[in-house]
Amino acid sequence: MTSEELRVVAFTLKVAALGTLLLVPPGLLAALLLARYRGPGKGVLETLLALPLVLPPTAVGLVLLEVLSRRTTFGAWLAVRGWDIVFTWRGVLVATMLMSFPLLVRSARTAFEEVDPHLVGLARTLGCSPLAAFFRVTLPLAWRGVLAGVALAFSRALGEFGATIMVAGNIPGKTQTLALAIFHESQLGRDDRAMVLAGVTVALAFACLWTTEWLTRARDRRLAS
Amino acid sequence: MIELAVELPLSRFPLRVSTSLGAGVTGVLGPSGSGKTSLLEVLAGLRPAARGRIVVGGEVWLDSGAGVRRAPERRRVGYVPQAAGLFPHLRVGENVAFGARGDARRVETAIATLGLGELLERYPARLSGGERQRVALARALASDPALLLLDEPLASLDASLRERILPYLLRVRDDWRVPMLYVTHNVGEALLLADHALLLRDGAVEAAGRPLDLLSSPGLAQAAEAGIENLFRGAVASHDAEAGLTHVVVQGGLPVSVPIAPGLALGAPVTLAVRAEDVLLAVEPLTGLSARNVYAGTVVAEERTGTDLTLRLETTQARATWLARLTPGAVKALALRPGVPVWIAVKSHSFRLLV
């Protein structure tokens, strides 16, 4: 690989890792609320959250572009503070985060739903605040699903294309991620370079998912012993 | 001292309980679905819909009128649900220490009381039903509770396991002296463990008082799914290998002979159980009978239990209380009524020995 290609790989990994990290707190909170909340509006909320999964990523990107551009109040407010999002690395971050969010939430929500609420109640009687009960009982028991969600979100962030290109463009050395670079090289007829980059994405996604599997299985072995 | 006046809507009827409970053990009896578990959850603070007032040892846990609702973690209850509710991701030792706030000495004492030393490294998935109950009980004790709430700790266990846990419960009652609400279907358990009992039916207290006094409640038959048992605490006095008997002296000094159990040391504490329907009565002195346990006594009271009659008896020696369950026909034929002298006979094999 060329140094330019290595830089693209490093940039993609960095943005995906940062995005996933930033997603975890709000993602787990949303998942917990959806798992425990029983009331009006739940269906609408769930559907809204699932939308990015089924919409064309370019459509999501277009909406994001409109909301964040300097023409809107919010976009202008951000720009004044020097937090330009559109056509910067931050645009890549926001686009990949939005596309990854539902994957994390769905996986974690299912995992939280499977935790027996009686165990959480018992933890409370044993002196845990709601927050402590979450960290000592709910999260360790839902660990497998949460980890799977994090892995999916990270993998999705590695491969995001449509929303990213709408919000951040495809600027080599600035906003170009692996997915964008593959497209770019292929458009320029450099299929061999595109294949190298595609190989790298396969290896990264494989490593990420396999590590998740391995961690989960190691834990199952421990609990059964 | 526990003052209760609570109300909670349930699907079929409201739970409405007003009562005051002393220290010691309160048995909570009642048929399935009568609100027993809900009552424990209200006390534990796990039912946000509960209204009313709960005062435990002078501390107000709930006063919905004044907007006081103490969170479960600030009530110091030791709750042992029917299914034990162990944390599956933690080893036995970690489960026991979960609520102990680092009080290692308390954890050690709880582990010793419930005989868990061998199990500390195991995960709950690898425990038997009886072991789970013991771990759950130890976990509750280690959290230094002001009130223990036990929800049918023996119900999900088969008879032999049940009998192995009962002595641990007695130990908890006698050594730890934490006020306890003990939900059970088993009248014998209530008689053995509780100083005071409540009979719940459709969410309301149908009767309250000494466990023995509850025997006259019409609702008890429905609650007594597991039957009525005589349970006695005693100590091993001697073994007679030739006769095949172990002699036990139960509280008050009454001698009882049971099938030989040579493994028990002299003086070892034991609990004896005999079902009320296995107690024979005669109105004339018994001779030439194979039963090894025969006592002179008197009928004290007669109470209806379902289609049968339960007689409360008192032996002349040691004034021990016995319960005998007879058909109305047998009671009529022998003209049994309060005040009538009787002979009580129990085969040694009718006793089960709970160590």
Side-chain angles (χ1 to χ4, degrees):
Chain A
M1 278 202 289
T2 64
S3 63
E4 180 54 34
E5 283 164 355
L6 278 175
R7 255 208 307 282
V8 169
V9 172
F11 174 69
T12 309
L13 280 171
K14 258 190 270 182
V15 173
L18 179 63
T20 310
L21 214 63
L22 291 175
L23 269 186
V24 166
L28 296 194
L29 188 65
L32 196 65
L33 290 177
L34 283 174
R36 296 279 182 246
Y37 175 68
R38 305 256 173 283
K42 179 170 170 158
V44 176
L45 214 64
E46 280 176 345
T47 313
L48 271 177
L49 262 168
L51 268 184
L53 288 175
V54 293
L55 286 176
T58 44
V60 176
L62 183 67
V63 173
L64 211 52
L65 187 61
E66 289 301 318
V67 171
L68 297 174
S69 83
R70 286 179 181 216
R71 292 192 303 275
T72 69
T73 320
F74 182 54
W77 182 82
L78 286 172
V80 168
R81 278 153 191 79
W83 297 334
D84 268 318
I85 289 181
V86 175
F87 300 124
T88 68
W89 70 272
R90 291 188 202 93
V92 181
L93 186 72
V94 170
T96 54
M97 278 175 69
L98 187 62
M99 298 306 291
S100 300
F101 190 65
L103 287 168
L104 173 61
V105 172
R106 284 175 91 79
S107 183
R109 189 195 74 186
T110 313
F112 288 149
E113 276 171 352
E114 279 166 12
V115 175
D116 182 354
H118 286 110
L119 290 182
V120 182
L122 268 168
R124 298 288 305 279
T125 68
L126 290 164
C128 286
S129 65
L131 195 68
F134 174 77
F135 281 109
R136 294 182 69 188
V137 175
T138 309
L139 193 57
L141 287 175
W143 185 89
R144 178 209 293 261
V146 170
L147 185 71
V150 170
L152 276 176
F154 180 70
S155 307
R156 182 78 183 84
L158 283 182
E160 216 299 311
F161 179 85
T164 311
I165 202 164
M166 294 297 288
V167 177
N170 177 19
I171 309 167
K174 196 172 169 208
T175 67
Q176 193 172 63
T177 63
L178 266 170
L180 297 174
I182 291 169
F183 174 73
H184 190 70
E185 297 292 346
S186 167
Q187 287 290 299
L188 296 176
R190 299 200 290 248
D191 281 6
D192 55 332
R193 297 327 300 165
M195 277 309 287
V196 169
L197 293 171
V200 172
T201 60
V202 170
L204 286 177
F206 183 89
C208 172
L209 296 177
W210 188 83
T211 308
T212 315
E213 275 295 308
W214 183 78
L215 283 172
T216 315
R217 268 183 292 121
R219 183 184 127 100
D220 285 349
R221 275 196 303 275
R222 189 167 61 84
L223 281 190
S225 66
Chain B
M1 192 68 176
I2 301 160
E3 294 288 340
L4 269 187
V6 290
E7 210 178 306
L8 173 74
L10 299 176
S11 56
R12 291 191 300 122
F13 44 75
L15 176 75
R16 224 178 251 136
V17 174
S18 283
T19 188
S20 67
L21 311 170
V25 179
T26 301
V28 182
L29 290 153
S32 300
S34 56
K36 304 188 296 293
T37 298
S38 300
L39 175 62
L40 295 196
E41 287 178 348
V42 165
L43 280 163
L46 300 175
R47 290 300 194 102
R51 303 185 52 77
R53 214 174 130 76
I54 302 173
V55 183
V56 176
E59 294 182 344
V60 180
W61 285 6
L62 177 71
D63 189 345
S64 51
V68 177
R69 187 180 295 277
R70 193 177 274 213
E73 63 268 29
R74 297 194 46 243
R75 293 192 182 197
R76 289 179 57 221
V77 294
Y79 180 30
V80 180
Q82 200 175 341
L86 299 184
F87 301 118
H89 60 297
L90 301 177
R91 292 183 173 88
V92 166
E94 295 163 328
N95 261 286
V96 175
F98 189 93
R101 301 174 193 90
D103 187 342
R105 214 167 53 87
R106 235 190 134 75
V107 172
E108 271 166 38
T109 317
I111 286 168
T113 303
L114 288 142
L116 300 175
E118 307 278 296
L119 305 175
L120 297 180
E121 296 302 315
R122 287 211 211 154
Y123 283 97
R126 302 289 292 255
L127 297 177
S128 72
E131 288 165 346
R132 275 177 213 179
Q133 287 294 346
R134 272 154 59 199
V135 176
L137 198 52
R139 180 179 65 181
L141 286 174
S143 71
D144 191 17
L147 175 64
L148 268 176
L149 304 170
L150 309 189
D151 194 354
E152 305 207 40
L154 308 180
S156 60
L157 310 176
D158 62 33
S160 67
L161 262 180
R162 194 169 77 79
E163 291 165 4
R164 282 175 36 208
I165 310 283
L166 204 46
Y168 289 110
L169 285 172
L170 286 163
R171 226 193 271 179
V172 168
R173 180 193 66 178
D174 298 337
D175 297 352
W176 293 67
R177 307 196 157 278
V178 181
M180 191 192 298
L181 256 76
Y182 184 93
V183 167
T184 178
H185 270 120
N186 186 307
V187 179
E189 277 170 36
L191 289 175
L192 177 72
L193 285 164
D195 318 298
H196 182 86
L198 298 176
L199 179 59
L200 284 189
R201 183 139 85 160
D202 294 344
V205 177
E206 186 176 88
R210 287 193 314 149
L212 268 178
D213 298 336
L214 257 57
L215 287 170
S216 54
S217 305
L220 188 69
Q222 220 186 332
E225 283 168 16
I228 296 178
E229 268 181 331
N230 294 283
L231 289 163
F232 299 104
R233 287 290 277 165
V236 176
S238 62
H239 298 293
D240 183 343
E242 202 179 323
L245 294 172
T246 289
H247 301 290
V248 177
V249 175
V250 299
Q251 76 242 63
L254 195 71
V256 178
S257 300
V258 300
I260 191 155
L264 291 178
L266 297 184
V270 290
T271 304
L272 301 178
V274 58
R275 294 156 61 86
E277 45 268 52
D278 291 340
V279 176
L280 298 175
L281 295 185
V283 287
E284 290 169 30
L286 292 160
T287 54
L289 192 73
S290 66
R292 291 298 88 195
N293 300 288
V294 179
Y295 312 101
T298 318
V299 177
V300 177
E302 177 188 293
E303 283 131 9
R304 186 160 278 280
T305 313
T307 57
D308 286 338
L309 292 169
T310 299
L311 298 187
R312 200 196 313 169
L313 316 159
E314 196 175 272
T315 56
T316 313
Q317 182 188 0
R319 302 176 64 82
T321 296
W322 287 73
L323 299 169
R325 186 164 176 172
L326 285 81
T327 58
V331 173
K332 198 174 166 199
L334 298 178
L336 295 172
R337 58 180 183 280
V340 170
V342 288
W343 279 263
I344 303 163
V346 188
K347 293 172 59 173
S348 53
H349 275 290
S350 292
F351 281 100
R352 280 166 300 117
L353 195 61
L354 324 185
V355 181

